[in-house]
Amino acid sequence: QKEVEQNSGPLSVPEGAIASLNCTYSDRGSQSFFWYRQYSGKSPELIMFIYSNGDKEDGRFTAQLNKASQYVSLLIRDSQPSDSATYLCAVSLGQAGTALIFGKGTTLSVSS
Amino acid sequence: DAGVIQSPRHEVTEMGQEVTLRCKPISGHNSLFWYRQTMMRGLELLIYFNNNVPIDDSGMPEDRFSAKMPNASFSTLKIQPSEPRDSAVYFCASSLNHAGYRYEQYFGPGTRLTVT
């Protein structure tokens, strides 16, 4: 059974701090990795994707991938109260047309 | 460009009734996914289509659930008969599967279904 694990949280950080969200996956064949943000009552919104080992930066967000350890992380620098949401990690085998497997999400709370 | 469109946004129905959820994917996308989200189970894949063909329906909970994609711009998810345990938010997502693209999925706003 392919699984994606996340700490449910809540993860609480003060405004301006770095928030670190972690995710592990069970299938070594996984090739594509995604982070979605979901505000309460809204749909998941794609914020980052990464396919190669290492870091990928986009504004205040950095995704990190370590395939050997089967580990993906998301760093949010200069956290803002508007970042308060649930963050979903998703993994795909990367083949054409395959579906994503989602973790249950980590709830982030940024206090002002 | 319009995103994924779902209707209705909210549906309240009585146990035993038929429910039909609708989805219009992003224009040009050739893969469509139906998910269900609950607090207990999180976001679960029900079924997905590539080029209008169902590829994997192993997530469909039972025969009461069925999905169709008659053309590239429309899909339905039907529950007949509905039961209270079907209450959840149902999301449709679409993606473009083509050489050079990496299959990012984009979600619609969801349909909140309540079965009483």
Side-chain angles (χ1 to χ4, degrees), chain B residues 19-40:
Chain B
V19 176
T20 299
L21 311 182
R22 298 173 176 79
C23 176
K24 177 179 170 56
I26 293 172
S27 178
H29 281 192
N30 58 356
S31 289
L32 183 140
F33 306 82
W34 282 102
Y35 291 92
R36 178 172 68 176
Q37 188 174 40
T38 62
M39 289 292 292
M40 287 294 294

Side-chain angles (χ1 to χ4, degrees), chain A residues 39-50:
Chain A
Y39 293 113
S40 180
K42 301 295 185 181
S43 60
E45 173 193 9
L46 179 64
I47 56 172
M48 287 288 287
F49 52 87
I50 186 168

Side-chain angles (χ1 to χ4, degrees), chain B residues 33-107:
Chain B
F33 306 82
W34 282 102
Y35 291 92
R36 178 172 68 176
Q37 188 174 40
T38 62
M39 289 292 292
M40 287 294 294
R41 301 176 66 89
L43 197 59
E44 300 177 286
L45 176 72
L46 299 176
I47 185 172
Y48 74 95
F49 298 82
N50 282 346
N51 298 314
N52 311 338
V53 176
I55 302 301
D56 183 357
D57 66 353
S58 59
M60 298 284 262
E62 39 194 284
D63 291 345
R64 298 185 297 106
F65 286 68
S66 62
K68 294 182 179 179
M69 192 165 186
N71 57 61
S73 59
F74 184 67
S75 177
T76 59
L77 178 68
K78 184 177 294 186
I79 308 173
Q80 165 64 19
S82 58
E83 296 183 1
R85 59 190 168 128
D86 301 330
S87 297
V89 181
Y90 291 80
F91 289 107
C92 176
S94 70
S95 70
L96 174 64
N97 292 307
H98 186 274
Y101 288 85
R102 297 297 191 132
Y103 326 126
E104 297 94 16
Q105 293 183 22
Y106 297 90
F107 282 73

